[in-house]
Amino acid sequence: PVVEQAPRPKLPPSVKGELEVMSFNLENWFNGDGKDGGFPTSRGAITKEALLRQRTKLVASIAANAPDIAALIEVENDGDQGKTALQELVNALNSQTQLGYAWVVSPGALAKATDAKLGDDEIRVAMIYRKSKVRTKGDSATILSAPFDRLNRPPLAQTFERLVKGKGSGQVFTLVVNHWKSKGGCDPSNTANVDRGDSQACWNASRVQAARAMMDWLETDPTKSQDLDYLVLGDFNAYSQEDPLRLMEEAGFMHLAEGTSKAPS
């Protein structure tokens, strides 16, 4: 028998707004060598068949939401061009839908690096967007120095302009996607990051460092947008009342799920 333990609506609820933005953890989307080989992958599919099943589910999930921009987490860190995991996902989306997605080119690719990897981790964050709804403004940006050189994955920032009937509206904002250190894999020898029994689990200090460093980085206007409208998404591995997100609220960021904000001190 099939037990439907936690039924969910087939489609997300409709919300007001001019653009729809989605944050989505792909749960280790790896495509081997991109040429039907290279399995098992280090963190993703163990066979080509498993890859196709995963791809089908990811495409269906994204297509059902049809976001104008999607912030993606846990994408194989194998570059932007060629037979990469990111390109395969976008190709599959566009071949099965009429949504017309493109991906944000990473800072490494803009610098004409050969692999355009975003940091040294096996997984990275990424963004895709509908070309009919928004266009990129300027180059993307990232930060690779501590605390994003290990544990926390490098963030990715990109400024977008909303399109109206194919033309620029002048309405711009910058999207920042993050993936901070998880609560798992506690290291008893790392005294700063041990589980202190405060319900924030281990590696909380690392996530706090990531929050502070990200906010300091945004103060420098990394995408040169000259606009203060930031939407910060991703996998923070922290709940709203934990230290990293409380710090962001205290700095003036609004928690969209709660609809509240605190003025900067």
Side-chain angles (χ1 to χ4, degrees):
V2 177
V3 178
E4 196 169 359
Q5 181 179 2
R8 298 182 181 182
K10 293 183 178 181
L11 294 174
S14 178
V15 295
K16 296 180 180 180
E18 297 170 336
L19 292 175
E20 294 189 14
V21 182
M22 171 183 180
S23 180
F24 191 20
N25 191 318
L26 304 185
E27 300 292 347
N28 292 309
W29 165 243
F30 281 56
N31 72 338
D33 59 10
K35 297 179 285 189
D36 297 333
F39 300 100
T41 60
S42 59
R43 295 186 59 155
I46 61 174
T47 64
K48 179 184 175 182
E49 290 71 24
L51 169 83
L52 295 177
R53 288 196 300 272
Q54 183 183 15
R55 191 179 74 187
T56 297
K57 294 177 181 179
L58 295 178
V59 168
S61 298
I62 296 172
N65 289 272
D68 299 315
I69 310 173
L72 305 178
I73 301 99
E74 292 195 10
V75 182
E76 182 179 6
N77 193 14
D78 60 348
D80 289 75
Q81 309 296 330
K83 302 293 183 177
T84 65
L86 181 58
Q87 184 172 26
E88 178 168 339
L89 179 62
V90 171
N91 288 347
L93 269 168
N94 289 339
S95 68
Q96 298 177 45
T97 72
Q98 303 297 316
L99 297 174
Y101 282 102
W103 64 86
V104 168
V105 179
S106 73
L110 294 169
K112 298 183 179 179
T114 55
D115 55 12
K117 290 186 176 181
L118 199 66
D120 297 325
D121 202 290
E122 287 188 297
I123 54 177
R124 58 166 289 185
V125 299
M127 295 183 212
I128 61 174
Y129 63 96
R130 296 180 64 183
K131 294 181 288 184
S132 63
K133 297 299 184 72
V134 294
R135 65 184 177 190
T136 57
K137 294 282 289 183
D139 297 342
S140 64
T142 190
I143 177 171
L144 302 176
S145 57
F148 302 108
D149 55 341
R150 57 185 300 271
L151 301 179
N152 302 291
R153 282 80 182 187
L156 181 65
Q158 176 67 61
T159 300
F160 292 94
E161 181 180 15
R162 176 177 172 251
L163 299 178
V164 178
K165 296 182 179 180
K167 297 182 179 180
S169 65
Q171 297 173 315
V172 301
F173 72 98
T174 299
L175 181 64
V176 187
V177 56
N178 298 268
H179 187 188
W180 298 345
K181 179 69 181 77
S182 72
K183 298 177 183 291
C186 299
D187 180 2
S189 66
N190 190 324
T191 56
N193 281 288
V194 297
D195 187 343
R196 302 185 182 280
D198 57 2
S199 299
Q200 299 187 96
C202 54
W203 303 109
N204 182 56
S206 180
R207 293 187 291 273
V208 167
Q209 289 177 329
R212 286 177 172 154
M214 182 204 66
M215 290 189 290
D216 289 344
W217 177 57
L218 295 183
E219 288 286 339
T220 70
D221 189 15
T223 61
K224 311 304 179 188
S225 68
Q226 298 183 340
D227 187 276
L228 296 178
D229 291 324
Y230 288 105
L231 178 59
V232 181
L233 296 175
D235 192 343
F236 302 109
N237 281 301
Y239 296 105
S240 63
Q241 297 305 307
E242 294 185 22
D243 294 338
L245 298 191
R246 286 194 302 103
L247 282 173
M248 291 180 63
E249 282 198 87
E250 290 169 1
F253 285 86
M254 176 182 292
H255 193 295
L256 293 180
E258 297 179 356
T260 60
S261 65
K262 298 177 182 178
S265 58

